Amino acid sequence: MSSELLVQQPGNSVVTDLGRFRGPHFGLPVNGALDQYSARAANILVGNEDNAPLIELTALDFRMTTTADLLISVTGASADLSVGGRTYPQWEPVSVAAGETVAVRGIRGGLRAYLAVHGSVDVPRLLGSCAPDSVVGFGVRLAKGTALKVQRPVAPLRQPYFDLPLFRLGVERPRAGREVLVDVTDGPDITEFGASADLLFDSEYTVSPRSNHIGLRLGGRLPERISSGEVLSRGVPVGAIEVPSREELLVLHRGRGVTAGYPVLAVATSLGLDVLAQARPGDRVRFRATTVAEATAAYRRSMLQLESLRHSVNTVFSLLGLHGSAGWHDLPSAACG
């Protein structure tokens, strides 16, 4: 029998990775996991490379069973993780025996959770990435009965005494509350909004239910453009904050098109985008100004946290005879943020 994951309750789930970094060169969005920190951590916890395919769960309950022994981890928003009916913590490796049911229920304090499997799963790729792209109709969206081939089964790892936890790595991502704080740098067109640009930092915005992986729509007091010149269509970065109408802000996320024709007021930082990935409809968002240098330093600190986690995991895995993962600096630069 082949080693497979069998989806019983898909909820709203896809197989993804860190993104299609070659995509923009061909006019395709980068896409990929919206909360990049949580996705990286999930893969690190099971000894995978950062960019290995994993499952992104959005809002709804998920359940699967397996025909093989596995090692999994679940990160991201808080949720109730159970294996074979037993409760386990997130942000730690968890051993699963063949035939056991894995359930992730009650996602809260955020919108997305990430489930990684040691050795990852076998899925198609486009331009080197398995990230779904709704525009070209590519990707693996999970449905009831979907079977994913597991590349590297792992014999059950159990603590021999009283079934105590085998891993206690002590890592956990800070949880988002009902008010979300997002760091942004100045956009190339901030001067076109004059003094009203300060509204971005002095006001509170509410996440619209119409938000998705392409962009978050936010209602609130809007800066007004004082220039009347036409903005030509041009390349825009992931995280660009635009004012396309008098009704809402638009924060372009990883599924955004590579060009747009609205003035860019500000740009959310990489870590700010991770925070926005966990924002639920109705959550309140505030923006905080930062510099490119400060944003770069914060990003490097987050990568060092993950490197420390990787070192701990690789140390434990080497003692158990399991494969570990390479550091983020050993991966292609496009996979590093």
Side-chain angles (χ1 to χ4, degrees):
M1 178 181 294
S2 62
S3 302
E4 294 179 325
L5 303 180
L6 305 174
V7 178
Q8 299 172 320
Q9 181 181 3
N12 183 8
S13 56
V14 298
V15 179
T16 191
D17 53 27
L18 294 182
R20 185 165 293 104
F21 302 104
R22 293 167 56 197
H25 179 73
F26 296 96
L28 297 176
V30 66
N31 282 304
L34 293 194
D35 182 349
Q36 297 264 298
Y37 184 95
S38 293
R40 288 178 187 271
N43 270 322
I44 289 171
L45 285 165
V46 293
N48 293 343
E49 305 295 350
D50 289 29
N51 204 28
L54 79 171
I55 300 174
E56 182 179 68
L57 315 174
T58 301
L60 304 179
D61 293 352
F62 175 85
R63 190 174 74 253
M64 71 178 191
T65 188
T66 172
T67 64
D69 300 330
L70 304 177
L71 191 67
I72 69 167
S73 68
V74 175
T75 63
S78 296
D80 300 316
L81 168 64
S82 65
V83 176
R86 302 180 301 275
T87 300
Y88 286 91
Q90 294 175 255
W91 298 83
E92 289 187 10
V94 175
S95 193
V96 181
E100 288 188 318
T101 296
V102 176
V104 181
R105 298 187 175 94
I107 294 176
R108 57 195 179 274
L111 189 62
R112 294 177 171 87
Y114 294 85
L115 190 159
V117 179
H118 177 70
S120 193
V121 293
D122 189 13
V123 289
R125 296 175 186 264
L126 173 65
L127 295 178
S129 171
C130 72
D133 190 313
S134 57
V135 175
V136 299
F138 175 83
V140 178
R141 176 167 292 279
L142 302 182
K144 185 175 180 179
T146 298
L148 297 174
K149 184 178 179 181
V150 178
Q151 296 181 340
R152 194 185 301 154
V154 179
L157 303 173
R158 301 289 189 194
Q159 165 63 256
Y161 302 104
F162 307 108
D163 203 28
L164 294 172
L166 185 61
F167 301 95
R168 284 179 172 170
L169 297 169
V171 60
E172 188 168 341
R173 165 89 180 274
R175 301 291 187 257
R178 292 292 293 176
E179 183 171 275
V180 178
L181 183 62
V182 178
D183 285 336
V184 302
T185 59
D186 287 350
D189 307 311
I190 190 171
T191 57
E192 294 193 21
F193 292 86
S196 75
D198 291 339
L199 285 175
L200 183 68
F201 309 108
D202 298 336
S203 305
E204 184 177 81
Y205 298 89
T206 303
V207 179
S208 165
R210 297 194 299 134
S211 299
N212 54 28
H213 68 290
I214 296 175
L216 277 82
R217 298 178 182 274
L218 307 172
R221 299 175 64 199
L222 303 181
E224 293 189 17
R225 187 176 177 227
I226 57 177
S227 172
S228 59
E230 183 178 354
V231 179
L232 298 178
S233 183
R234 58 188 172 166
V236 291
V238 174
I241 300 176
E242 302 177 334
V243 189
S245 71
R246 294 185 178 274
E247 299 178 356
E248 58 192 5
L249 286 178
L250 178 61
V251 185
L252 300 181
H253 221 303
R254 299 183 64 80
R256 70 43 172 137
V258 296
T259 61
Y262 295 107
V264 177
L265 172 63
V267 180
T269 66
S270 295
L271 298 184
L273 284 169
D274 289 347
V275 171
L276 284 172
Q278 297 295 354
R280 303 174 73 99
D283 281 355
R284 300 182 299 275
V285 175
R286 298 192 72 94
F287 294 100
R288 179 174 60 188
T290 189
T291 65
V292 172
E294 290 169 340
T296 301
Y299 180 78
R300 288 188 175 277
R301 287 193 297 270
S302 75
M303 292 298 100
L304 289 174
Q305 290 172 352
L306 291 178
E307 278 301 293
S308 177
L309 173 63
R310 191 192 315 276
H311 177 75
S312 298
V313 170
N314 284 350
T315 299
V316 174
F317 278 20
S318 66
L319 295 174
L320 296 172
L322 299 177
H323 295 282
S325 61
W328 67 275
H329 44 74
D330 296 323
L331 301 177
S333 59
C336 299

